[in-house]
Amino acid sequence: MRKSKALRAAAWAVVIAGVAAPVIRRRAHLPKPAVLAAAAAAPVALCVVVPRSRTRDVLTCTLQMWAYLAAYEMPHDDPEALQRRVHIDYPVNVDRVIGLGTPPTLRLQRLLSAPGRIRPAEKVLVWSHWVWFAVPHLAVTYVLVRRRDRFGRAAATTYAVFDLGALVYWLVPTAPPWYAASQGRLEDHDETRVRRMMIEYGEQFWKHRWGPLYSLLGGNPLAAMPSLHFATSVNAAHLLGEVGVVAGAVGWGYAATLGLALVYLGEHYVVDLLAGLALTEGVRRAAPALAPAATSISHAVRALEARARA
């Protein structure tokens, strides 16, 4: 009995540490590896002390995303150091090839946008970008409600895409089109600059609330390759399609709209989207091969859970 109580206490301590470490990391000058380790251990520890239920499933995914957010934001803790490391030119060069000499973002904005105005269709594209923050998680939740037997795989593929993308952001920080344009690296013979319409419309729509909102959601502006917006939306479309035809059609329609929005609005290059697509499809193809290892880990966690409740 004493051992089970000690195990529960230790697991709760890990959960608390995993939640707190990303919050206090700067003030406490915590080492980044320690913060990541604590945050990554929290979802596992929660599964040890809380019996399996839909509520626990949701909380586990929430803790997983908390760990991802820490990993996503930490490279930007030192903006100047990140700017010295950031790659700007290679996605520009690839998109010039894709766009037959002119990056698709420039082509689309020159063809369709009106300087100084945000058209209704452009507002729709901006909103498709904003609602993305909920879409991957809503898709996983939909699977949990409609087909709980598929939930484990749905959650695993979704958050594996997030985590692998964050790893690339650490190793190869890459700038988006709007940043390249601000550095004078995206222009060609025409001096038209890429507009960042999300910012323009955000200031119009949210007014004084835009600054705090953007600072909350834009924790690392130099993390464009691969596009996790597109990668996780494609994965969400796959998951919804496995549950039902109508849900799948909604998912794929949203993914296509978001893909257009990301390029047109200057938030991502086409090559970022292609890399995101490759990431998602790679994770999904690898999932069956990795299933035995995942099952072994699950059994180990369940054994700890049983000991904690003994």
Side-chain angles (χ1 to χ4, degrees):
M1 181 69 94
R2 285 195 298 270
K3 290 181 179 180
S4 64
K5 287 184 178 180
L7 182 57
R8 289 196 298 272
W12 277 119
V14 171
V15 172
I16 293 169
V19 172
V23 177
I24 66 173
R25 70 179 192 273
R26 295 176 184 171
R27 283 174 290 174
H29 303 290
L30 298 178
K32 292 180 180 179
V35 174
L36 291 176
V44 179
L46 181 74
C47 293
V48 171
V49 289
V50 177
R52 177 73 189 273
S53 66
R54 286 181 174 174
T55 299
R56 191 189 79 173
D57 290 339
V58 172
L59 291 174
T60 301
C61 292
T62 301
L63 287 177
Q64 154 62 32
M65 278 304 296
W66 184 243
Y68 161 78
L69 285 173
Y72 167 75
E73 292 180 353
M74 275 195 286
H76 200 246
D77 284 353
D78 186 343
E80 293 182 356
L82 183 60
Q83 288 169 9
R84 289 193 295 269
R85 294 181 57 228
V86 71
H87 296 264
I88 300 177
D89 293 322
Y90 83 83
V92 176
N93 294 334
V94 175
D95 259 36
R96 287 194 195 282
V97 174
I98 294 173
L100 302 178
T102 300
T105 294
L106 276 173
R107 284 196 181 277
L108 289 171
Q109 289 199 6
R110 288 171 183 169
L111 178 65
L112 301 174
S113 70
R117 293 177 52 202
I118 301 292
R119 293 174 170 172
E122 292 164 345
K123 295 178 182 179
V124 171
L125 295 180
V126 171
W127 274 101
S128 75
H129 184 277
W130 286 342
V131 301
W132 167 82
F133 290 95
V135 167
H137 317 296
L138 289 176
V140 173
T141 303
Y142 185 79
V143 174
L144 175 63
V145 173
R146 295 295 302 273
R147 291 292 304 271
R148 195 179 183 190
D149 58 306
R150 295 178 179 265
F151 170 75
R153 185 174 184 274
T157 55
T158 297
Y159 300 115
V161 170
F162 273 110
D163 291 348
L164 291 172
L167 177 62
V168 178
Y169 295 162
W170 276 73
L171 297 176
V172 191
T174 303
W178 63 264
Y179 184 89
S182 72
Q183 303 298 307
R185 311 277 273 276
L186 194 60
E187 287 77 15
D188 53 14
H189 60 280
D190 187 326
E191 297 192 6
T192 302
R193 288 206 165 191
V194 167
R195 297 170 59 194
R196 199 176 184 198
M197 293 183 224
M198 183 183 73
I199 299 295
E200 296 177 27
Y201 182 54
E203 292 171 345
Q204 292 178 18
F205 185 85
W206 298 104
K207 297 183 170 45
H208 65 279
R209 295 184 295 272
W210 173 247
L213 183 62
Y214 180 72
S215 65
L216 176 66
L217 300 177
N220 185 355
L222 302 181
M225 168 65 77
S227 169
L228 288 186
H229 289 83
F230 192 61
T232 55
S233 298
V234 168
N235 190 63
H238 277 298
L239 298 179
L240 294 172
E242 292 168 356
V243 174
V245 174
V246 174
V250 171
W252 285 111
Y254 172 76
T257 302
L258 179 64
L260 173 62
L262 293 171
V263 175
Y264 179 72
L265 298 175
E267 299 298 321
H268 280 284
Y269 298 98
V270 172
V271 69
D272 297 342
L273 270 61
L274 295 176
L277 176 64
L279 173 60
T280 287
E281 299 304 325
V283 166
R284 293 182 62 82
R285 286 181 178 274
L290 296 175
T295 300
S296 297
I297 294 171
S298 176
H299 287 163
V301 173
R302 289 180 183 178
L304 286 173
E305 180 185 355
R307 291 179 59 185
R309 294 208 303 264

